[in-house]
Amino acid sequence: MDFEIPQEYVLLRDQFRRFLEKEIRPYEEKYKFENAVPYEVHMEVRRLSRKAGFYGIHLPEEVGGGGLDIFGYVLLLEELGKSLIIHFSTDIIGGAGGPTPILLDGSEEQIEKYLKPLIRAEKTMCFALTEPGAGSDATAIKTRAVKKNGRYVINGRKHFITNAPYADFALVFAVTDPSKGIKGITGFIVEKGTPGFEVGRIHETMTGTRMHGELIFEDCEVGEEQVLGKEGMGFIQAMKWITLGRLVVAAQCTGSAQGALDLAVKWAKERVAFGRPIARYQAIQWMVADSATEIFAAKSILYSTAWKASQGMDVRKESAMAKVYASEMAGRVIDRALQIHGGMGFMRELPIARLYQVVRAARIGEGTSEIQRLTIARRLLEEY
Amino acid sequence: MKILVTVKRVPDPDMKVRVNAEGTGIVEDNMKFVINPFDEIAVEEGLRIKEKKGEGEVVIVAIGPSVVQEQIRAALAMGADRGIHVDVDSYPDPLNTAKLLKAVAEKEAPNIVIMGKQAVDDDYGQAGQMLAAMLGWAQATFAYKVEIADDNSKATVTREVDGGLETIEIDLPAVVTADLRLNEPRYASLPGIMKAKTKPMDVFKPADLGVELSPVLELVRMEEPPPRKGGIIVETVDELLDKLRNEAKVI
Ligand SMILES: Cc1cc2nc3c(=O)[nH]c(=O)nc-3n(C[C@H](O)[C@H](O)[C@H](O)COP(=O)(O)OP(=O)(O)OC[C@H]3O[C@@H](n4cnc5c(N)ncnc54)[C@H](O)[C@@H]3O)c2cc1C
């Protein structure tokens, strides 16, 4: 048994860290007191990262990606989390709005027309599954796509969609055959400007990024060539993608927790109260000891799951475990890090206050904590 | 154009270094090691010269135990062509380093040897000068800018000197040592890292190079600098002036 991280990954991670510190840190510093960053600045950062070879690094080389496997991808995401670069976290390697593996299910033309421009940091997309009436129970979506004369007419409404305000196209999940259950759901690529497709309200959120919004479809007509892969495959594509998405969340949460702990320990050794550094007080020591232990646990789950996934094994249960544990752990660790900083923790000079807000969403997106536990239990009960 | 670049494995300068209890060296557990930053600049310069010429070979040489192959691979990942590992148990002193490098340089017969101006771990800053002297080659230390003549016979090197820059012309082959501002090293890309895994690397023992090591330095003891005393916050400018004048006695 060998727990050592292969040298080439260590080297890549070192390069990545240097890139973050040198090229991206100045952007993060510039916007640290802002809630929202202009879209053009996000694109600028993506182009920088593309140039350095990191944007889309997890996609296959055939489509213009870097060909990095899941284990390497997870290591870089963890490093990104640890850097506490928050505003630009989805602009460095890519997120749901950028190069995303779900489009690999598309036809050659779709890969050419939609995926490659994403990888080249020229375009943005959004992933639109959630609806006002269907979140955790995504099978309950009501958005309908009815086939008429070889074309589909889409009607419905999506909300909470990341990147909705400026996506060049949306991947929209709609019911094509209500009698078939999950096999009656299909993914459609709908371009901005298609008649009948509009961006609705922009959501005001806890973080205030103005990056989330509604999508409205009213008799929006698209051709067959806009179906991602095959009709009826939408839900299966979405679930496959979400399994990887859960590992992504776990990796970023584990890294963020480490970054927050690093700051907290340094602070505790320097900050003096009642005549000595607060690190000398047991109340503080227990907080850092618990945090380090929990991070270690999250990392162990993360690495072994990522390794399994890289070997092509089924990790639906493990990735749910990794996600629920890491996202809840990060909440605890970042909360403690804030507490150790006292009033300073509440100030935007440090990234902790912002991180505290951002990490809260990790327990909701890509399936809530409850849904992760449901997934784990379901698999577990089947195993006995 | 054949370019020989030396790299040394050093503790990551961003990490906190601790001296071991015996005072014989540093604690290496959990330490991260990297290419000496000045050597990384040397590698970059080698690659740029080759790219500008449109031909040539960049050969990396490192001295030390087998772990230094990690740093050779890192340089190969940046784009260098092949590596030479001089396998010794511990890092030799500058004179013995220069002796080993001389043997490698004679074997490889490069047009130029590029080194870092010093290693950031022991900070000797001697190997480059010693190597040039032993080879009887010209040397240009603390390089800020390097230009190679079209026929590879000469190099024009701008050097960082106290209070300014100095430009000299030297005959090749020569030894050049890189200063901080010579260039900004590139990031090794993922394809570069993958390609580096299969690039050739030769391993030599000192005896293979006909060198017998004879240490001239003995490490007597290593100790940590005394901890810095905490600062104080003064209330007024007058108080500050008073302290500078009467306590620190600097004005
Ligand atoms: C910042 C952010 C970004 C998002 N981005 C996107 C996006 O890009 N695309 C997209 O499609 N969606 C996106 N979402 C939506 C997200 O996926 C949903 O919010 C999430 O799946 C939960 O759905 P819901 O909000 O409808 O909550 P509900 O499903 O209504 O859940 C409410 C509560 O009930 C619990 N619950 C539900 N069912 C069960 C059960 N069976 N057992 C126990 N408890 C249960 C839930 O865990 C939760 O606590 C985003 C959300 C956020 C916050």
Side-chain angles (χ1 to χ4, degrees):
Chain A
M1 187 113 192
D2 185 357
F3 282 104
E4 201 169 353
I5 299 174
Q7 189 55 32
E8 57 268 25
Y9 292 110
V10 174
L11 193 53
L12 182 68
R13 191 172 59 182
D14 285 350
Q15 301 294 314
F16 185 58
R17 182 184 308 129
R18 207 174 90 203
F19 166 74
L20 292 177
E21 287 312 316
K22 225 162 66 187
E23 318 249 351
I24 309 299
R25 178 73 62 206
Y27 284 92
E28 187 72 22
E29 274 298 304
K30 182 167 174 198
Y31 288 98
K32 72 178 175 188
F33 297 123
E34 311 287 330
N35 286 327
V37 173
Y39 175 57
E40 309 79 67
V41 181
H42 283 292
M43 290 307 277
E44 196 178 313
V45 167
R46 289 182 199 178
R47 285 194 295 271
L48 259 179
S49 191
R50 163 84 187 152
K51 217 173 120 223
F54 294 113
Y55 197 64
I57 195 168
H58 58 304
L59 280 146
E61 283 168 283
E62 301 84 78
V63 296
L68 184 63
D69 69 359
I70 294 178
F71 190 81
Y73 178 40
V74 158
L75 276 187
L76 292 194
L77 287 165
E78 186 198 357
E79 193 62 37
L80 178 59
K82 194 171 143 204
S83 74
L84 304 184
I85 281 168
I86 302 165
H87 275 307
F88 302 98
S89 64
T90 57
D91 301 318
I92 313 290
I93 299 174
T100 164
I102 195 169
L103 291 182
L104 291 171
D105 285 330
S107 65
E108 248 170 66
E109 292 79 39
Q110 287 170 341
I111 286 176
E112 204 59 48
K113 191 167 173 197
Y114 298 107
L115 181 56
K116 289 189 177 176
L118 289 176
I119 297 176
R120 292 195 299 262
E122 292 162 4
K123 286 202 170 155
T124 299
M125 70 168 272
C126 63
F127 173 93
L129 178 62
T130 306
E131 299 179 2
S136 298
D137 181 10
T139 58
I141 56 169
K142 291 281 175 305
T143 296
R144 272 287 266 142
V146 179
K147 201 165 183 181
K148 251 191 227 154
N149 309 324
R151 292 177 71 77
Y152 292 88
V153 181
I154 307 174
N155 276 288
R157 177 183 290 258
K158 300 287 176 180
H159 77 166
F160 301 167
I161 307 305
T162 308
N163 286 318
Y166 33 66
D168 296 291
F169 61 92
L171 177 58
V172 183
F173 294 88
V175 177
T176 35
D177 188 345
S179 69
K180 284 197 182 148
I182 62 165
K183 293 210 170 119
I185 294 174
T186 303
F188 292 91
I189 298 173
V190 184
E191 289 185 30
K192 188 185 203 161
T194 307
F197 167 34
E198 275 185 40
V199 177
R201 218 156 44 92
I202 294 177
H203 300 297
E204 290 300 344
T205 64
M206 186 167 173
T207 46
T209 56
R210 299 186 62 77
M211 272 173 58
H212 307 278
E214 294 177 327
L215 301 181
I216 299 163
F217 300 90
E218 277 172 0
D219 291 330
C220 171
E221 222 183 281
V222 296
E224 278 177 324
E225 72 284 358
Q226 298 309 102
V227 170
L228 180 72
K230 276 209 213 80
E231 192 181 305
M233 291 299 287
F235 197 74
I236 292 142
Q237 291 159 349
M239 289 306 117
K240 194 171 87 187
W241 183 76
I242 274 177
T243 299
L244 179 66
R246 288 174 179 167
L247 264 183
V248 170
V249 174
Q252 280 187 310
C253 284
T254 304
S256 301
Q258 183 67 57
L261 177 65
D262 291 347
L263 285 184
V265 172
K266 273 189 210 133
W267 180 268
K269 288 176 80 170
E270 277 168 20
R271 176 69 183 172
V272 174
F274 299 98
R276 19 153 115 176
I278 58 171
R280 301 262 297 273
Y281 298 113
Q282 205 177 45
I284 303 289
Q285 290 177 359
W286 285 31
M287 284 200 252
V288 298
D290 283 345
S291 298
T293 308
E294 292 174 30
I295 290 168
F296 185 37
K299 220 165 152 161
S300 304
I301 300 175
L302 178 68
Y303 284 11
S304 61
T305 307
W307 178 80
K308 269 189 165 179
S310 291
Q311 307 296 309
M313 296 184 209
D314 178 3
V315 292
R316 278 174 292 177
K317 184 177 76 182
E318 290 83 350
S319 65
M321 289 173 164
K323 197 244 175 192
V324 67
Y325 187 77
S327 60
E328 295 186 350
M329 176 282 291
R332 291 190 296 273
V333 169
I334 293 162
D335 185 69
R336 290 181 199 124
L338 199 154
Q339 192 66 15
I340 289 171
H341 280 82
M344 197 59 208
F346 206 73
M347 303 296 139
R348 279 284 183 91
E349 269 89 355
L350 293 179
I352 299 178
R354 182 165 191 83
L355 192 62
Y356 185 84
Q357 298 177 317
V358 171
V359 82
R360 187 62 186 84
R363 282 149 67 185
I364 298 167
E366 323 279 330
T368 62
S369 283
E370 292 70 33
I371 295 304
Q372 306 304 322
R373 290 188 168 88
L374 206 84
T375 305
I376 298 163
R378 201 176 281 154
R379 307 237 139 231
L380 203 67
L381 294 176
E382 275 172 13
E383 285 168 14
Y384 283 84
Chain B
M1 181 92 192
K2 191 193 253 190
I3 303 155
L4 186 66
V5 182
T6 61
V7 305
K8 184 175 182 188
R9 175 183 171 93
V10 299
D12 185 341
D14 292 335
M15 283 185 88
K16 198 178 153 147
V17 174
R18 282 182 303 128
V19 173
N20 64 21
E22 303 80 45
T24 54
I26 63 163
V27 179
E28 296 201 355
D29 294 347
N30 291 320
M31 263 323 267
K32 235 175 73 61
F33 290 84
V34 297
I35 297 181
N36 173 42
F38 292 111
D39 296 346
E40 203 170 29
I41 295 171
V43 175
E44 176 67 31
E45 196 60 21
L47 296 173
R48 288 190 191 184
I49 292 171
K50 176 183 158 181
E51 284 159 5
K52 205 165 157 199
K53 291 261 166 202
E55 59 87 24
E57 187 183 28
V58 178
V59 182
I60 304 298
V61 54
I63 302 171
S66 60
V67 283
V68 305
Q69 291 191 3
E70 287 175 11
Q71 278 62 47
I72 298 177
R73 289 275 174 230
L76 297 178
M78 286 171 73
D81 299 288
R82 63 185 169 90
I84 296 173
H85 169 210
V86 180
D87 188 8
V88 292
D89 295 340
S90 58
Y91 300 92
D93 56 53
L95 185 67
N96 283 287
T97 299
K99 273 196 209 169
L100 290 168
L101 292 177
K102 173 175 181 267
V104 173
E106 280 168 349
K107 200 172 157 68
E108 289 288 333
N111 299 80
I112 189 168
V113 178
I114 312 180
M115 305 171 65
K117 70 165 179 176
Q118 74 200 71
V120 299
D121 54 353
D122 54 28
D123 271 340
Y124 283 125
Q126 301 175 359
Q129 292 89 327
M130 288 179 174
L131 173 64
M134 285 179 185
L135 287 165
W137 291 1
Q139 58 175 288
T141 51
F142 313 126
Y144 171 84
K145 192 173 167 200
V146 178
E147 271 175 295
I148 309 288
D150 287 341
D151 65 356
N152 298 345
S153 68
K154 283 183 187 332
T156 308
V157 181
T158 304
R159 307 177 55 236
E160 298 212 14
V161 293
D162 275 349
L165 298 171
E166 175 194 81
T167 301
I168 58 170
E169 196 181 79
I170 52 173
D171 287 333
L172 295 183
V175 177
V176 171
T177 72
D179 212 323
L180 190 63
R181 280 162 286 268
L182 180 58
N183 59 49
E184 283 249 358
R186 68 195 64 190
Y187 305 108
S189 66
L190 180 59
I193 291 170
M194 290 307 169
K195 259 190 244 153
K197 286 167 75 174
T198 54
K199 286 183 179 173
M201 175 145 33
D202 288 321
V203 183
F204 299 110
K205 293 269 182 198
D208 303 331
L209 297 166
V211 177
E212 200 177 322
L213 295 180
S214 46
V216 293
L217 281 182
E218 188 193 340
L219 178 73
V220 182
R221 202 174 49 172
M222 198 182 270
E223 50 192 71
E224 291 190 17
R228 196 173 148 266
K229 286 211 207 88
I232 54 161
I233 291 176
V234 294
E235 298 291 329
T236 64
V237 175
D238 286 338
E239 193 187 337
L240 174 66
L241 286 174
D242 176 65
K243 288 205 184 292
L244 289 176
R245 206 166 273 138
N246 302 317
E247 272 181 36
K249 297 199 166 62
V250 290
I251 54 173

